[in-house]
Amino acid sequence: MLRNFGRLSLRFIHSATFSGVDGLTSKTRCTTNIMMYSKYTSRKPIAITNEDELFDNNNDDDKQTNLTKSLRKRGSKIRKEKARKEAREKKKLEERKEEESDSKKPLYKALKENDKLISSLMLKIRTRKNREKHGQILLEGFRIIQDAIQGGAIPRVIFFSRLDDVQRLSFPQNVQLYKIPYRTIQLWSTLTTSPGILGIFNIPNMENKEPTEDAIPLTIICDNIREPGNLGSIVRTAAAVGCEKLILMKGCVDLWEPKVLRGATGAHFRIPIHTSISWEDLPALISNESTIYLADNNMEYKRNDSDEAEMNLTDVEEDDSKDQSERNDPTIPSEIKSYTSTAKTKALVKKIVSQFPIVPYHTLDFTKTEIVLITGGETEGVSLQSCDLLRQRDCTRVNISLTSGIESLNIASALSIIAFEMKRQFIIRTINNE
């Protein structure tokens, strides 16, 4: 820009000095030249390529600029090195996590849907006879399997269709894990829609299970409970109320039947349970000072007529002895022979039971002594073998008042009402003592 301006000035001076025209003409020509060249002054200046010729460079500024560039390059190199180091550490951490997760993943074997191993294992626990023979049970569903493991039950085989189900569980090292198709699990499932995981466990010994710290002095005895759903609900109620132990007499449905397990929702592994107990062995499991109550919906009450009752009992025994051929039939299980009810035994049991006093459950004080609560089946009632103990221990019947023409409640519902009234009374006594 300065160069162009200089050139314009020289031309202006040259034209003013050496022109052969008069002063007016020279002045006019100068003005014309200025106007002609001034229109270029508003343009954008071009870049200066030879700065050294116009300006004096400062050596100190150059040194400072070089130092700044050097520092920038060094800082950039340090940052890049730090980023590479962080990337390497992150990669090592991810590899370590993958190794840890791989070590935690359970080792399993994949089986095809028609593998014979599946059917051979499942048939061993399909019936009560096979369960007792092999000492194993089948549990279905994540929750009940988790409750069983937490309760101390030992798993042997786990069938699953999704790996996520077994990754959330803690198994011992000797458990066998098999991944099989879901349709195979559905084939062996007792549910309409299977949860996708089955477990074969050793039958746990629940007799040695310790009661909870806040358990109440209550023993529940189940007699002639034939419906699996009712027994499952009773087991669940017994665990919820906190009884000391649950006793299942001979003639009850199998405790480890799938429907019972499903109805109890894991309560099997939370309380002491005694199974297949005879009435002769029962006195060893209950206290002599305990009070026995019988849950009964029959409001009929008659005075005790021991002679007539003994005579009727003798008649029943004579009738039973007449049919020795049926008793000795090897095709009939001994358990069915001993505990099969007839119309005559049912009538006799009803007559004997009606001789015990009956009291509404909410009028009794259950906190005086230990409690034994006996409940029978909805259709069968208590067995004839129980009558001797009920007589000897002066049993008291308890009932629940019903309205609207309802004759009885489901046995599990009735037991829940009575048991939680007992628990309520013990809680109030504890609060009053404090």
Side-chain angles (χ1 to χ4, degrees), residues 76-284:
S76 177
K77 185 178 180 181
I78 293 174
R79 286 192 297 270
K80 290 180 180 179
E81 184 65 27
K82 185 178 180 180
R84 286 193 292 266
K85 185 177 180 181
E86 291 177 353
R88 288 194 298 268
E89 292 178 354
K90 185 178 180 180
K91 186 176 180 181
K92 290 180 180 180
L93 182 61
E94 291 177 353
E95 292 176 353
R96 193 180 302 113
K97 288 182 178 180
E98 289 179 359
E99 292 177 357
E100 292 177 357
S101 61
D102 292 340
S103 61
K104 292 180 180 179
K105 284 183 181 179
L107 299 177
Y108 64 90
K109 182 179 179 181
L111 299 178
K112 296 182 179 180
E113 59 180 338
N114 56 352
D115 197 299
K116 294 183 179 180
L117 177 63
I118 303 173
S119 58
S120 64
L121 291 174
M122 297 298 293
L123 289 174
K124 290 181 180 180
I125 39 84
R126 200 63 175 174
T127 63
R128 179 174 185 173
K129 182 178 180 180
N130 287 342
R131 286 194 292 268
E132 293 176 350
K133 179 180 178 180
H134 298 95
Q136 294 179 337
I137 56 174
L138 177 67
L139 303 181
E140 184 172 7
F142 174 83
R143 180 178 175 181
I144 192 172
I145 290 176
Q146 185 181 46
D147 290 338
I149 294 174
Q150 293 176 353
I154 301 175
R156 287 301 181 191
V157 179
I158 301 294
F159 295 108
F160 65 94
S161 60
R162 297 183 301 270
L163 188 60
D164 293 342
D165 291 336
V166 294
Q167 286 180 340
R168 294 182 292 167
L169 296 170
S170 298
F171 297 110
Q173 294 182 354
N174 58 348
V175 66
Q176 298 176 351
L177 302 177
Y178 295 107
K179 189 176 187 299
I180 62 177
Y182 177 80
R183 55 180 173 271
T184 305
I185 294 180
Q186 185 67 50
L187 177 65
W188 294 99
S189 173
T190 58
L191 302 175
T192 304
T193 303
S194 174
I197 181 170
L198 302 171
I200 298 178
F201 285 69
N202 290 342
I203 296 180
N205 184 9
M206 301 310 300
E207 295 181 0
N208 299 328
K209 183 77 175 179
E210 291 294 330
T212 58
E213 296 180 357
D214 57 347
I216 61 176
L218 168 64
T219 298
I220 297 177
I221 298 177
C222 296
D223 186 26
N224 268 345
I225 304 296
R226 308 284 178 85
E227 174 61 35
N230 285 342
L231 183 57
S233 299
I234 291 172
V235 173
R236 189 174 183 178
T237 298
V241 80
C243 70
E244 284 190 345
K245 55 180 169 287
L246 175 65
I247 300 176
L248 307 183
M249 307 305 296
K250 288 183 177 180
C252 288
V253 67
D254 182 21
L255 178 66
W256 305 108
E257 207 270 344
K259 289 184 179 179
V260 180
L261 289 166
R262 194 158 58 250
T265 63
H268 287 69
F269 312 101
R270 302 181 185 276
I271 56 171
I273 304 177
H274 301 259
T275 60
S276 299
I277 304 299
S278 65
W279 287 99
E280 292 78 12
D281 299 333
L282 181 62

